[in-house]
Amino acid sequence: MKYYNYDIVFQEIPDEVTLAINLTHCPNLCEGCHSPHLREDIGEVLDFPTLDRLLARYADDITCICFMGGDRDVQEVERLAAYVREHSDLKTGWYSGRNEMPPHSNLFDFVKLGPYIPQKGSLKQRTTNQRLYRRTGEQWEDITEVFWK
């Protein structure tokens, strides 16, 4: 699994200061994608030593790490999320273009599901097909509406 870049963001996960890691080699080919370069097999390998460096540098400044993409290798995204959970107190999130929860969804505190469909809009539009879920215990709550305010 490779990543193109990362940034500290404030909108992707509500009420969290999030280190968003943009993963590459996206298989979804969504029409109107805002980051079509992420379809390419480019970037640096995202592995445990890289996560260790990111945690050492940013763990005191963030509350969440969110993997943006990675749909080509769900098991690897889950493995990376498990590592973050084992080595920090940070919350974990995954922005996926898939329509179903990952097999080991308990590794995430937040999961965004759904491909981008231009006619339906992004999470900010009430017409969106995309959904953001927050895990509370074993239950998933759809919190998409927080983007509509």
Side-chain angles (χ1 to χ4, degrees):
M1 175 143 314
K2 295 179 185 174
Y3 72 102
Y4 181 75
N5 62 357
Y6 57 85
D7 201 1
I8 295 177
V9 297
F10 303 96
Q11 293 184 10
E12 277 71 8
I13 305 293
D15 302 321
E16 302 294 337
V17 179
T18 303
L19 181 66
I21 303 172
N22 291 309
L23 303 175
T24 61
H25 210 199
C26 180
N28 295 326
L29 306 175
C30 299
E31 177 188 346
C33 175
H34 74 291
S35 301
H37 62 283
L38 296 179
R39 295 174 182 161
E40 299 174 38
D41 185 10
I42 56 174
E44 302 295 322
V45 173
L46 182 60
D47 54 15
F48 296 156
T50 302
L51 280 175
D52 285 338
R53 285 192 298 279
L54 292 172
L55 289 170
R57 183 169 182 188
Y58 296 109
D60 292 338
D61 301 320
I62 60 173
T63 59
C64 182
I65 288 183
C66 188
F67 300 97
M68 310 296 282
D71 292 335
R72 189 172 295 277
D73 192 348
V74 175
Q75 289 180 317
E76 183 63 9
V77 176
E78 291 174 335
R79 193 171 79 89
L80 294 168
Y83 187 84
V84 170
R85 293 180 78 81
E86 291 171 14
H87 293 88
S88 75
D89 293 327
L90 297 171
K91 294 176 184 172
T92 55
W94 185 30
Y95 261 48
S96 171
R98 300 163 52 91
N99 286 314
E100 65 277 342
M101 282 288 178
H104 300 100
S105 60
N106 63 322
L107 296 170
F108 301 98
D109 297 288
F110 300 91
V111 175
K112 191 279 299 177
L113 295 175
Y116 176 70
I117 300 173
Q119 301 83 348
K120 296 188 179 237
S122 69
L123 283 171
K124 293 180 181 179
Q125 278 79 43
R126 292 178 183 270
T127 56
T128 188
N129 62 296
Q130 298 178 318
R131 295 299 209 237
L132 180 65
Y133 298 94
R134 174 177 51 210
R135 186 171 55 85
T136 306
E138 297 301 314
Q139 301 296 316
W140 286 97
E141 175 188 8
D142 183 341
I143 62 170
T144 309
E145 68 183 31
V146 300
F147 291 100
W148 302 339
K149 297 177 182 172

